Amino acid sequence: MVLDSPEIALKTNHQWVTVLLGDKQIYRYKALDDQDKPGILQTTITLPKDFQGQKLRIITENSYNYHSGVPAQVFIGNSEDIDRYLIFHSLPQFILLAIVLTLLTAIGILFILKKDKSRAFSQSTIFLLGFIFCIGIQALVSNNQISLLFHPELIALFSDLSLLLLPIFLTNYYLSQTNRYRVFYRLAVFFQTALTLCFLILALLGQTN
């Protein structure tokens, strides 16, 4: 099968990447002075039309001591076919993002319109909004089309933060709705929240690798 406009769509998770066609380097994503973490890369690389018959090598390199990264996803085809494929597989994230925005707007409006707000009601609403917001962030950063617009480090940062905060918002929301066994549940949620915050602080200080 001859490709008229050959292209590679490449997605890597916390890995540096080098792409070689034969002995020629056609793409490299490496550490720079102002960037020492690879993040989550989503990119497309145009191939020469005569690439078929040549050896194509994609070399990934991990920058962490204890994390090998998720295996790279590679798609090769005509640029139009790859674009259609990526758009089609982005539809679930677009739909989820639309649902999240609708829920955030509806809950926010109802919260503002409610006159007599108890402390428990306010807390539970905030935790619920935070949980839904984190789901929206996950839908955003996992979207193949939208992720092309942002820096890989920024995508990885928002992905990691939202994944860490999701269970915090969810368990605290359940805690605000619980009456029975509240004391025991509060203790478990406290330890979960404390451990997550400690990890976040260490990560921000650059102590985890």
Side-chain angles (χ1 to χ4, degrees), residues 26 37 41-42 51 66 76 83 93 99 111 117 131 137 144-145 158 179 188 199:
I26 61 173
K37 298 291 189 296
L41 174 70
Q42 171 83 42
F51 86 99
Y66 307 108
I76 302 177
D83 288 342
Q93 286 85 15
I99 294 172
F111 179 74
K117 303 182 187 74
F131 175 72
I137 294 296
N144 292 322
Q145 296 300 300
F158 280 106
N179 292 318
F199 180 82

Side-chain angles (χ1 to χ4, degrees), residues 8 10 17-28 45 47 51 54-60 74 76:
I8 298 177
L10 185 63
V17 185
T18 302
V19 180
L20 301 172
L21 183 61
D23 295 326
K24 182 181 178 182
Q25 178 180 294
I26 61 173
Y27 178 82
R28 190 175 185 190
I45 306 163
L47 294 171
F51 86 99
Q54 301 184 62
K55 181 182 288 186
L56 179 66
R57 289 179 291 166
I58 300 173
I59 304 169
T60 60
V74 182
I76 302 177

